[in-house]
Amino acid sequence: MQITLPDGSVREYPDGASGLDVAASIGSRLAKAAVAVRHDGEMWDLTRPLPGDGTVEIITDATEDGRHIIRHSAAHIMAQAVLDLFPGATFAIGPPIQDGFYYDFAVDEPFTPEDVERIGDRMSEIVAEDQPFIREEMSKADALEIFARHRFKVEIIENVDESEVGAGDVVSAYRNTDAFTDLCRGPHIPSSGRLKAFALQRVAGAYWRGDEHKEQLQRIYGTAWESKKALDEHLHRLEEAEKRDHRKLGPELDLFSFPRDLGSGLAVWHPKGGMVRKQIEDHSRRLHERFGFEFVVSPHLAKSHLWETSGHLGYYAENMYPGMEMDGGDEYRVKPMNCPFHVLIYKGSARSYRELPLRLSELGGVYRYERSGVIHGLLRARGFTQDDSHTFCTPEQLGSELLMHLEFVLQWLRDFGFDDFEADLSTRPEKYVGEVPRWEQAERELAEALEAAQIPYQVAEGEGAFYGPKIDIHVKDAIGRRWQVSTIQVDFNLPERFDLEYTAASNDKGRPFMIHSAKAGSIERFFGVLVEHYAGAFPMWLAPVQVGIVTVADRHEEYADRVAERLRNAGLRVEVDAGSGKLGEKLRRMITQKYPSILVVGDNDVEGGTVGFRLRGEDERRGTPLAEAEQLLVEAAEVPS
RNA sequence: GCUGGCGUAGCUCAGUUGGCCAGAGCAGCUGCCUUGUAAGCAGCAGGUCGCGGGUUCGAGUCCCGCCGCCAGCUCCA
């Protein structure tokens, strides 16, 4: 048969040749690194005879596809270990995932940490045995017989899902030993000995088929790599990510805390965190003003009647706190969103097309009841502040308004040091309100805005909210993680529910379009993302303390205070440490607290009107004239614009 | 909400099978040192061992309930 290789060359192989034969004919190193092949785009086991002519690409171990296969095989090996060690256990599904794999089991007793250790040990034995992964194809009927004892496998075979076992009546399975076969589409590594590096990580409950009404299984997570080195690097990356964790850095840098007595998901901001937050909020107001928004303020409570009109009590009640009885029997609710208030402002007077677009903005504190298991530091809290805006405009204005909102969001994110964006455009779901032509206009104009702004985006078909289509913007942080932050949403629901109108030039009544937008999303969440992005080392304009001044000895305190005074007059946030400790000790404190700049003053500086000057991450420059230091610091602390 | 793990001074942690087990380092305070670029020395103070019940002659150590934290599942119109 004729095989075309990725470089375009064509080679002749005998019928029945396998991917391994192809790889070996190219080079022994390649054959050694190969884990599977792709034949005409379809993945095949390395040792499985190729079906005939076609293009063949060798999948090697250090690629995403290769690791995928290694991890999938690791999951099988883990299943074998579990079934060996726990006679009553049965297995459900075990796919590879980002950076690892898992397998779900039904067992009499949940796995203990000691069990996991034993499972890992048994896996090592299976790897040492170098068991082959033998592909077997069979009819569904035969498969049902083989897996009769395993109810989840039976369910999978009966509801055969092509993505799980392949098309048609034939299903495939992989046999490692006479005692262990797993239903699987493949491909797999040729033998268990090819699993070079793995680690089991944790146990967690997981619902069968992801449905919380179904049986809860025990899931074991693990990770597997092509080499010990790659595994170690991955574990190291996890440690690095842990060091950036805002829940750890927050208290360490004295930014915020979650006191037990407050309640879960409720934070208090300490002075340092409060200062950073103030910078974020100041910047939010600055940009909102620049982009033509007006500022409004609304209370934390409103009558339940308002939430009925808005529809929140119908579709959002489970995320709202219970009502409070007030005078006269009226019930009040704490707000989970700001939109109804802004709508009331719009509705407060008759609106003319001449007033539109009307752009209302508020840093509004909201409270949402989140299920206890989902709370996650500042990223998912029960009380938070949205940098929320609602824009009301005519149909003709929608396109330019959406583009303006998008440009605003992008500038906002760039100002905070993000420059890798991706967007999701979510379109009309099955259940929706509003008129289809309006949806289509909004979807089209959202897409046009994304294209005009040259933002890569994916269309999430049918993923829009019931009330309108939206754009969600994701940013990539310093270590490559994606975070969903900003959002721009069109809303057909509230203008209907509140019967919003404006008078058009023709003197006819029109219904305005409404655009919800949050640039940071939640200030708390955005702050948390910033902490992780910068690992707590904020850029100088955000840093709570911008300049730390350290005295060499007590006698330099007066000079240090004079320097501080001067820098404060230049608009900088300055802290003096004239404590009695050693210089190194005081410096260390400021460095570990991630101060962006530190000045040291001693005898020579007092005499010469200079400072020892150092910016974070740079070497010190002694004897820097004060005026020069001031200029450098002011420049370094400049707010983006 | 569910499954598993965890909860000892402000922080990081030690505390064997329940009985001199309430400890260490850092931080804090006081004193000495008067310091030139990442931890000077000494002393002092600090915890009803998350909270509430229970078992026991005796519980940080065992049991139950609650609260909180961590991972995952579910959720995040």
Side-chain angles (χ1 to χ4, degrees), chain A residues 559 562-563 566 603-611 623-627:
Chain A
Y559 179 69
R562 285 214 312 275
V563 173
R566 173 167 176 170
D603 286 335
N604 302 334
D605 299 299
V606 174
E607 203 172 314
T610 60
V611 295
T624 304
L626 190 46

Side-chain angles (χ1 to χ4, degrees), chain A residues 317-356:
Chain A
E318 16 180 275
N319 288 291
M320 292 173 68
Y321 286 93
M324 289 167 269
E325 283 295 318
M326 306 270 274
D327 321 326
D330 278 338
E331 188 187 70
Y332 283 71
R333 292 281 194 144
V334 175
K335 68 173 168 182
M337 296 188 192
N338 303 298
C339 8
F341 300 87
H342 296 186
V343 167
L344 290 183
I345 292 168
Y346 179 92
K347 212 174 150 58
S349 58
R351 300 293 178 178
S352 152
Y353 72 96
R354 295 175 194 277
E355 292 174 78
L356 303 183

Side-chain angles (χ1 to χ4, degrees), chain A residues 455-598:
Chain A
I455 300 302
Y457 70 98
Q458 296 183 319
V459 176
E461 213 67 63
E463 291 294 308
F466 73 89
Y467 55 76
K470 63 176 178 179
I471 294 175
D472 292 318
I473 314 282
H474 303 252
V475 298
K476 198 170 180 181
D477 77 6
I479 56 172
R481 296 171 300 180
R482 296 203 165 274
W483 304 90
Q484 207 270 104
V485 279
S486 316
T487 181
I488 301 171
Q489 318 191 349
V490 179
D491 186 338
F492 302 117
N493 183 48
L494 291 180
E496 290 287 334
R497 284 182 163 269
F498 283 90
D499 194 24
L500 300 186
E501 293 186 328
Y502 67 93
T503 305
S506 61
N507 203 32
D508 294 326
K509 298 293 187 199
R511 178 135 294 162
F513 273 87
M514 179 171 172
I515 304 166
H516 301 254
S517 174
K519 293 83 212 165
S522 135
I523 298 290
E524 281 75 3
R525 184 182 152 79
F526 190 70
F527 182 92
V529 172
L530 283 178
V531 169
E532 305 221 356
H533 178 54
Y534 289 113
F538 293 110
M540 195 152 164
W541 71 281
L542 287 169
V545 176
Q546 297 175 309
V547 186
I549 303 180
V550 188
T551 54
V552 173
D554 290 353
R555 60 180 177 278
H556 308 124
E557 182 169 0
E558 194 204 328
Y559 179 69
D561 286 338
R562 285 214 312 275
V563 173
E565 184 64 18
R566 173 167 176 170
L567 296 178
R568 287 193 186 109
N569 286 337
L572 294 162
R573 300 187 286 276
V574 187
E575 182 185 292
V576 176
D577 186 350
S580 65
K582 294 281 187 234
L583 177 62
E585 192 182 341
K586 293 188 278 190
L587 268 170
R588 180 184 157 79
R589 198 193 111 248
M590 290 184 173
I591 292 167
T592 51
Q593 288 289 304
K594 318 216 186 225
Y595 286 17
S597 71
I598 301 174

Side-chain angles (χ1 to χ4, degrees), chain A residues 37 46 55 99 149 154 170 244 252 268 282 304 306 318 338 368 406 492 494 555 558 629 631:
Chain A
V37 293
L46 208 51
T55 61
D99 292 340
R149 203 175 70 72
V154 168
V170 176
R244 291 171 174 264
E252 268 176 27
V268 285
D282 285 352
S304 292
L306 179 69
E318 16 180 275
N338 303 298
R368 297 182 183 176
L406 187 57
F492 302 117
L494 291 180
R555 60 180 177 278
E558 194 204 328
Q631 195 195 334

Side-chain angles (χ1 to χ4, degrees), chain A residues 18-19 91 96 106 109 111 164 166 200 213 221 256 307 352-353 412-414 431 455 512 542 548 568 591 602-603:
Chain A
S18 69
F91 53 163
E109 292 292 324
F111 297 116
E164 279 168 331
L200 300 187
H213 302 294
Y221 282 91
F256 60 85
W307 304 108
S352 152
Y353 72 96
W412 167 263
L413 296 174
R414 287 189 179 112
K431 281 182 67 178
I455 300 302
L542 287 169
R568 287 193 186 109
I591 292 167
D603 286 335

